[in-house]
Amino acid sequence: MCLLAVQYRLVPESPILVAANREEYVDRPSQTPSIQSGKPRVLCGIDQKAGGTWLGVNQNGLFVGLTNRATATPLFGQRSRGQLAMDLLRCTSSRRALEKAHAEFAKNRYEGCNIILADAKAGFAIHADERQEVVELQEGLNIIGARNLNDPDDGRVQLARRLLTLQTLDSPVKFLAVASKVFARSPVGQGRPSMVIRNGDYATVSSTLIALGVKPRDAIYQFSSGAPDESKYEDYSPMLRDILSRGLREARTKAKVGS
């Protein structure tokens, strides 16, 4: 299932602000966020069963987030959606990642998914089932779950929107403070939408908060390795700042060589 909120280009010093809850089978193993080798460097968690990831950031400031998408019938995917997300994180920009996604969907079959691609220049949502639809991210709050971006009929998406817009989130500190409480909202009753899900062996298994700033030193990455109403967010910001600083240095070096 999963729920992903991106406040896009509303705060000048942090154009990408993210809050995400991941739902999965509770016995499916995963690793906490770490820097992945290769270029560009990527910071993400790893799905130890099928490989790949559900969410991450690369050294160029590209954010990629994945949610499962509800489909009328099974699509019998041939390749893990998490592996696709990792492939997209190896791209240099959101537009390159969008091109890569189109190429992948043309040659491989995947189960239904929604993908968010965003950097400081452009942001996109891909709704992928039997066919693909691309929607540009709006300036402001964008929320996606198992249906379309900002779906008015998705109760969980609308609950998240209502709770995240009770006050003006005009700084990364405010956004992350409010989002950490909203996404840790415990279930309130059967049949009612909630931010944290507990449904037997399928539940909210982790949560992530990210702020991608104009300067690497302002970047924030916090991760809860369980449902956030029971597990604290731990700080992984030094790793994010490290890869973003590396990316900035490499970009400056290329610019000097090119001149």
Side-chain angles (χ1 to χ4, degrees), residues 16 23 28 43 92 96 104 128 153 156 173 217 219 224 226 232 240:
I16 301 173
E23 278 80 50
R28 187 175 180 121
L43 176 61
T92 56
R96 290 287 180 87
E104 278 296 316
D153 297 321
R156 196 176 183 212
V173 172
R217 67 169 181 261
S224 169
K232 292 183 178 180
L240 179 56

Side-chain angles (χ1 to χ4, degrees), residues 30-49:
S30 63
Q31 291 181 344
T32 57
S34 60
I35 297 175
Q36 308 303 312
S37 60
K39 287 192 175 183
R41 288 286 195 272
V42 171
L43 176 61
C44 66
I46 296 294
D47 176 5
Q48 292 177 288
K49 182 176 181 180

Side-chain angles (χ1 to χ4, degrees), residues 115-138:
I115 303 172
I116 298 292
L117 309 170
D119 58 23
K121 294 183 178 180
F124 308 96
I126 305 173
H127 307 146
D129 39 41
E130 292 84 356
R131 58 182 183 177
Q132 294 80 52
E133 177 189 27
V134 177
V135 180
E136 290 193 35
L137 296 189
Q138 305 169 7

Side-chain angles (χ1 to χ4, degrees), residues 66 110 150 162 185 218 227 253 257:
L66 175 75
Y110 295 89
N150 301 319
R162 180 173 65 82
R185 185 183 174 100
D218 295 330
T253 299
V257 172

Side-chain angles (χ1 to χ4, degrees), residues 224-239:
S224 169
S225 58
D229 61 338
E230 296 181 342
S231 299
K232 292 183 178 180
Y233 286 98
E234 303 292 338
D235 189 34
Y236 290 76
S237 302
M239 286 191 283

